[in-house]
Amino acid sequence: MFQSTFRAVTCSMAILFVAPAVAHAQPESTSEAPNPATRPNIVWIMSEDNSKHYLKHFDETGVETPAIEAMAAHGITFDRAFSNAPVCSTARTTLITGCYGPRIGTQFHRRTELATLPEGVEMFPAWLRQSGYYTTNSSKEDYNAKKRMEPWDDSSRKASWKNRPSDETPFFHVVTFAESHESRLHFGVDALQKPTDFDPKTVSLPPYFPDTQVFRHTAAFYRDRMSIIDEKVASVIAQLEQAGELENTFVFYFGDHGGVLPRGKGYIYESGLHVPLVVRVPNNYRNLVDRELGSRTKGFVSFIDFAPTVLNLAGVRLDKAGPIDGKAFLGPQIDSAKVDTRDNTFGYADRMDEKYDLVRSIRVGDWKLIRSFESFQPDAMWADYRYKMLAYQQWRDRYHTGKLNNVQSQFFKPRPPELLFNLADDPHEVNNLASDPAHGDRLTELRAKLNAHLKQTNDLGFLTEAGMLKVIDAPVENGKRLSSEIAGYIDTANIAVMPWEQANKALLSAINSGDKLERYWALVAASSIAAWNRSANRDMAADETFVKLLHRRTLDTEPLVASRAAQLAAILQVEDPRPIFQRTLELSQSPTEALQIFNMVRHVNALAGNPYPMSSKLFRLPFNPDPKGLIQQHLDHLDRP
């Protein structure tokens, strides 16, 4: 009681000490650092693997969540909040650093090696600890970077803000609820007979799903999981209230990325990136936020912005050493009107488990561009963990038996290199407008903005994962050092979106380059063109000069380049790729390189008609793969009927 009264009195004083967070790292030492007892507590409640589409507060097809809705009535609803990545480790690393994953080398799930954080950047709770906060995490971390300063006073299943050294110590607490995790949908056929609280008959399925009992039951069951999440949220609120801390505490509720039905988690469609976000504003710190309670905003916020927002609310001043990428959206000196004008977000997806797929996106207002750099492989490329779900299994089986319509089949076919969507008319992203001349200016605008972002952030994905591991000790510094090369690789990869008459000449030059990664990305671009443009496919296969050059590349001394050439030769059906894959895997320089080559093997093995069938017996490796590792998953799958 004393603490609540004390904080209410000193709240008005806190603003005198709080400096706005800016997009830089490392707390600035200052004699005017705020008294910890004058600052608010902050709690994050995260539910795993759920996009905003499952909560009625955000989507009329979702389930009612009274506890989250009560938070919103005493706070702010962010209708356009986004994870920058659609899967756990990459999304969580973005949250904890405030940095884009491809800029700092943390974009691969599951990472081969932990990245070293750039100079001056820490996992942000470390700065809270340094300024007097008690920081706790219960209990999932799943970061792709090495810790430098310790961010947590306690990170465990028993971690609790209640264990802080005194009642006057402000706290930052994170709790993650796994009841909504993807694994909850790994049930067997018998589960379909069990009733769900949410009526499967009333479920609204997106148009890319077949309307079956499996999909209706899965969608209803998942909404039941969100009801359980809401009960968990209510319990956190109740604990804070019972301790007299609720009105001293900013409480954030959000999903840790999108998901979890097929085409959600792992994919940078809205179902994978658009998350629910509600922030409850405490009465005793009401003056730190210039919004009406119960209000909603359509201003864009994304995971890079969460760290600077918490630091701003906590009064942690940051100096100019080592920039982070996000901007605060709540707290002192944050103008809500300006936040409301924010209208863009960037997304990224790379390797997810054993499946490689380099994809980047930009959304501006209701327009979204997805750039699939390996568009020749379908979204449905196999990943063992995904296909443990009955809905994934049935979707795939119905495709192979011809029981899907065109929209439902998109997931299983090669993609155009560019996907342009007007989300106002097409919220499920099934009507690609990239080839529509009426939207040519919009496509050009978003393409330019996305390419500028990739180059400005020195996107390390264009070094390949094996190449990135060579610079992982100082990813940002090395990214800057290699900035011009990375920009060149991006330009080479973008040959795929040129008109064919221009792309043809550009490809011949780039495939013959002395730079191994320029050769690599030229072959990737050619594969995208060949898989999508039938006319270009015929031209490549019939062009004797091109075919000879392609054969030369299959003999390349770089295993990844030769493997990409083999993959393109298989798409064009001008050369048997199997001897090439055999050689490149035997010469592979690391398990990471071999993992990527196996991704190409798996793609070729799944081509229509299976022209080049392969089994694990074809391949020898210069190392023994982990019997429970990702390479072994590829080998095992090659031997399945």
Side-chain angles (χ1 to χ4, degrees), residues 183 578-579:
S183 58
R578 289 171 289 191

Side-chain angles (χ1 to χ4, degrees), residues 127-184:
W127 299 326
L128 294 173
R129 287 188 76 205
Q130 193 176 73
S131 68
Y133 271 74
Y134 182 71
T135 63
T136 49
N137 177 55
S138 177
S139 62
K140 184 172 182 176
E141 293 188 357
D142 204 7
Y143 309 138
N144 291 339
K146 299 173 187 175
K147 297 174 183 176
R148 199 162 31 224
M149 293 169 56
E150 176 55 52
W152 305 111
D153 286 290
D154 186 8
S155 180
S156 69
R157 292 185 178 181
K158 296 182 179 180
S160 171
W161 54 269
K162 297 177 183 178
N163 298 328
R164 65 197 191 280
S166 77
D167 288 346
E168 293 183 6
T169 303
F171 56 83
F172 173 63
H173 179 63
V174 176
V175 58
T176 299
F177 292 127
E179 282 76 10
S180 53
H181 188 267
E182 177 180 11
S183 58
R184 299 301 191 270

Side-chain angles (χ1 to χ4, degrees), residues 366-377:
D366 283 328
W367 286 89
K368 183 173 178 181
L369 175 65
I370 296 176
R371 176 70 175 92
S372 300
F373 287 93
E374 297 171 272
S375 63
F376 43 87
Q377 61 186 31

Side-chain angles (χ1 to χ4, degrees), residues 193-255:
Q193 306 307 317
K194 297 178 181 178
T196 55
D197 292 333
F198 196 98
D199 186 355
K201 295 179 181 178
T202 66
V203 163
S204 177
L205 293 173
Y208 47 80
F209 286 158
D211 190 348
T212 67
Q213 179 195 9
V214 168
F215 273 89
R216 286 194 168 275
H217 178 89
T218 304
F221 180 80
Y222 194 72
R223 284 163 172 79
D224 286 354
R225 310 309 297 178
M226 295 312 304
S227 294
I228 296 172
I229 292 294
D230 192 63
E231 293 172 0
K232 297 285 187 178
V233 170
S235 71
V236 174
I237 297 295
Q239 290 176 40
L240 289 167
E241 190 168 24
Q242 289 166 9
E245 289 293 349
L246 183 58
E247 299 309 335
N248 295 324
T249 307
F250 284 92
V251 183
F252 290 58
Y253 162 73
F254 55 99

Side-chain angles (χ1 to χ4, degrees), residues 570 573 575-582 598 600-619 634-635 637-641:
Q573 296 193 25
E575 185 171 351
D576 188 338
R578 289 171 289 191
I580 306 160
F581 287 137
Q582 286 176 305
F598 269 117
M600 304 175 209
V601 168
R602 290 279 298 281
H603 168 251
V604 170
N605 200 52
L607 288 175
N610 194 16
Y612 308 107
M614 288 176 273
S615 71
S616 66
K617 296 178 182 178
L618 283 175
F619 306 113
H634 280 300
L635 291 167
H637 190 268
L638 286 171
D639 294 333
R640 292 175 190 167

Side-chain angles (χ1 to χ4, degrees), residues 430-488:
V430 296
N431 183 24
N432 181 23
L433 302 174
S435 61
D436 187 338
H439 303 292
D441 289 345
R442 182 76 65 176
L443 174 64
T444 300
E445 172 197 356
L446 294 184
R447 180 192 291 164
K449 288 183 176 180
L450 180 57
N451 285 331
H453 170 76
L454 300 181
K455 293 178 180 180
Q456 288 164 5
T457 55
N458 301 314
D459 191 311
L460 297 173
F462 291 89
L463 298 180
T464 73
E465 185 177 14
M468 192 190 77
L469 292 180
K470 298 176 182 178
V471 302
I472 201 70
D473 58 326
V476 172
E477 292 82 353
N478 283 312
K480 291 177 179 177
R481 177 176 59 83
L482 297 170
S483 179
S484 61
E485 288 91 340
I486 291 171

